[in-house]
Amino acid sequence: MTRPQVEPWVPADDRGLAYGDGLFETILVRDGEPLLWPQHMARLGRGCQRLGIPMPAAAELDGLPAQAGPGLKVLKLILTRGSGGRGYFAPPIAKPRLLWQAFDFAPQPQHWESGVRVRHCRLQLSIQPLLAGLKHLNRLENVLARSEWDDPDVAEGVLCDTQGHLVEATCMNLFWQRRGCLETPRLDGSGVAGTLRAVLMERLEINEVTMGPEVLAEAEAVWLGNSVQGLWPVVRLDDADGSRQLNWTLGPVHRTLQGKAHELLGYPATFAR
Ligand SMILES: Cc1ncc(COP(=O)(O)O)c(C=O)c1O
């Protein structure tokens, strides 16, 4: 079900539409209660500051999750710089445009339970420290990466940057355990700093590292996660041609981090296996 939006339409001169000049958030909402709301608002705020877009007042944003309605929903907020300016030159005083939509959402418990098969992508993410970590509207790299496979058995694609360092997956952050320690790629050059990643890093010791994909061969467990889908254990990693490269057997180590993540999202923390 799609609900009305704050702005019902986007004019052709909207800078978000024309240039990707804006930000978005995708938020899990259970019966009108948003999950990880402070983290989503913090990331939106960081993006507004970086791009020089005025952040909407809390009063305008805080009431939106309740309007998503009963049940499990995904609330998508889009904030653009609005219209105007001269070409790329932004108007000195932006009048941001806020749009939102709420969708019914059904997670994929088979991915939680049995783990997923993923593959390396050929696309390399560009390095741009000014935009790194933000959830901005320029997502063409993710669109291109996601077009690299259409095998429904492959759940996600792993992305490196142009220097060959691991970054994330097309719409999820990447975590692994190596020699008993949790690690995740440092996101100072590219990637989206996930809200789920942020809370997990607050609560657990997770080291940010700059490493190439060969590190995954040393991992005891690998996961992908975001604030909507929860945490998927990775059981098989293919190369960019679809040939099997690595695999992992699901075990208690997978369930520990998954349990912590799922507690935060109200998803099942344990699976009978
Ligand atoms: C490219 C990318 N990385 C990471 C994430 C994870 O972010 P979050 O945990 O806030 O959902 C997302 C979310 O959609 C994403 O699109």
Side-chain angles (χ1 to χ4, degrees), residues 107-115 223 229-233 250-252 254-263 266-273:
Q108 302 182 72
Q110 73 282 8
H111 287 353
W112 297 334
E113 214 168 317
S114 309
W223 302 262
Q229 297 286 359
L231 212 63
W232 295 346
L250 283 177
H254 289 97
R255 301 308 182 193
T256 308
L257 186 64
Q258 192 177 35
K260 303 255 188 244
H262 284 200
E263 243 170 56
Y267 287 148
T270 52
F271 298 93
R273 285 209 135 244

Side-chain angles (χ1 to χ4, degrees), residues 24-26 36 40 43 135 139 142 168-173 191-197 225-228:
F24 70 112
E25 290 293 330
T26 314
L36 309 187
H40 284 287
R43 183 172 57 194
K135 200 154 165 161
R139 300 262 65 106
N142 306 67
E168 59 180 356
T170 67
C171 69
M172 302 181 112
N173 289 120
V192 173
T195 53
L196 179 64
R197 177 182 181 272
N226 69 28
S227 61
V228 171

Side-chain angles (χ1 to χ4, degrees), residues 97-262:
R97 183 169 283 118
L98 176 66
L99 302 110
W100 66 272
Q101 275 182 303
F103 306 94
D104 286 333
F105 178 68
Q108 302 182 72
Q110 73 282 8
H111 287 353
W112 297 334
E113 214 168 317
S114 309
V116 293
R117 175 178 159 196
V118 305
R119 67 188 278 162
H120 280 293
C121 290
R122 283 201 178 79
L123 180 132
Q124 295 179 309
L125 293 169
S126 48
I127 296 175
Q128 176 45 270
L130 285 177
L131 297 177
L134 304 185
K135 200 154 165 161
H136 57 72
L137 289 175
N138 293 261
R139 300 262 65 106
L140 283 178
E141 292 182 324
N142 306 67
V143 171
L144 284 179
R146 185 59 191 85
S147 73
E148 288 189 27
W149 82 96
D150 60 5
D151 178 349
D153 292 339
V154 176
E156 254 291 9
V158 172
L159 291 159
C160 292
D161 64 22
T162 50
Q163 291 182 344
H165 297 131
L166 283 169
V167 180
E168 59 180 356
T170 67
C171 69
M172 302 181 112
N173 289 120
L174 173 63
F175 309 87
W176 63 87
Q177 180 178 305
R178 189 171 56 120
R179 295 182 204 137
C181 295
L182 292 169
E183 296 179 330
T184 190
R186 183 171 286 115
L187 300 177
D188 52 1
S190 27
V192 173
T195 53
L196 179 64
R197 177 182 181 272
V199 194
L200 288 173
M201 288 179 67
E202 268 167 34
R203 298 188 173 201
L204 302 168
E205 196 174 327
I206 303 181
N207 302 320
E208 291 183 286
V209 297
T210 303
M211 291 192 169
E214 55 288 345
V215 71
L216 297 177
E218 298 171 34
E220 293 112 41
V222 178
W223 302 262
L224 296 177
N226 69 28
S227 61
V228 171
Q229 297 286 359
L231 212 63
W232 295 346
V234 175
V235 290
R236 171 173 164 174
L237 174 63
D238 293 349
D239 64 19
D241 294 319
S243 303
R244 182 195 300 255
Q245 203 176 61
L246 293 169
N247 41 258
W248 293 269
T249 305
L250 283 177
V253 62
H254 289 97
R255 301 308 182 193
T256 308
L257 186 64
Q258 192 177 35
K260 303 255 188 244
H262 284 200

